[in-house]
Amino acid sequence: QGYSSAASDVYKRQVELWNNDRNEFMRQYDNCRNSIRRYLGRINRTEATEADKDAAYAQLTKHQQRADLFKKIINHESNDYHL
């Protein structure tokens, strides 16, 4: 897959959560999406300093990557009929 061991562990934990506690999985996904909105807002503030924007961008990137992982699991599991 091209993932590091740590990323692979995160993926495995999220798949396990998807399989065992769908409500918690979706709660975490919602929190992740809320974080993306929050950091986009911080980046777009007119009074934000460059340092503030840089810090917000780093967090935004982290949460976007995490959201991509959630979406990958949802799409894979929704289309996997276990034939």
Side-chain angles (χ1 to χ4, degrees):
Q1 284 183 342
Y3 293 116
S4 69
S5 178
S8 179
D9 290 345
V10 169
Y11 180 80
K12 288 175 186 174
R13 283 195 305 271
Q14 292 304 104
V15 168
E16 189 174 303
L17 190 58
W18 169 267
N19 290 330
N20 297 321
D21 191 347
R22 193 73 49 94
N23 289 333
E24 177 61 16
F25 179 93
M26 294 309 294
R27 187 190 70 76
Q28 289 184 19
Y29 182 37
D30 285 341
N31 286 346
C32 183
R33 291 174 21 204
N34 289 337
S35 293
I36 290 170
R37 284 191 288 275
R38 179 174 56 253
Y39 290 111
L40 279 172
R42 289 183 184 179
I43 290 168
N44 293 322
R45 283 187 194 150
T46 55
E47 69 274 5
T49 65
E50 285 304 311
D52 292 339
K53 289 180 182 183
D54 289 345
Y57 185 76
Q59 291 298 313
L60 173 66
T61 301
K62 179 179 85 170
H63 288 290
Q64 285 174 328
Q65 290 171 345
R66 193 162 176 245
D68 288 344
L69 181 64
F70 280 105
K71 287 185 264 187
K72 179 179 178 180
I73 292 168
I74 291 168
N75 290 332
H76 175 74
E77 296 299 325
S78 297
N79 296 319
D80 187 359
Y81 299 104
H82 304 288
L83 296 176

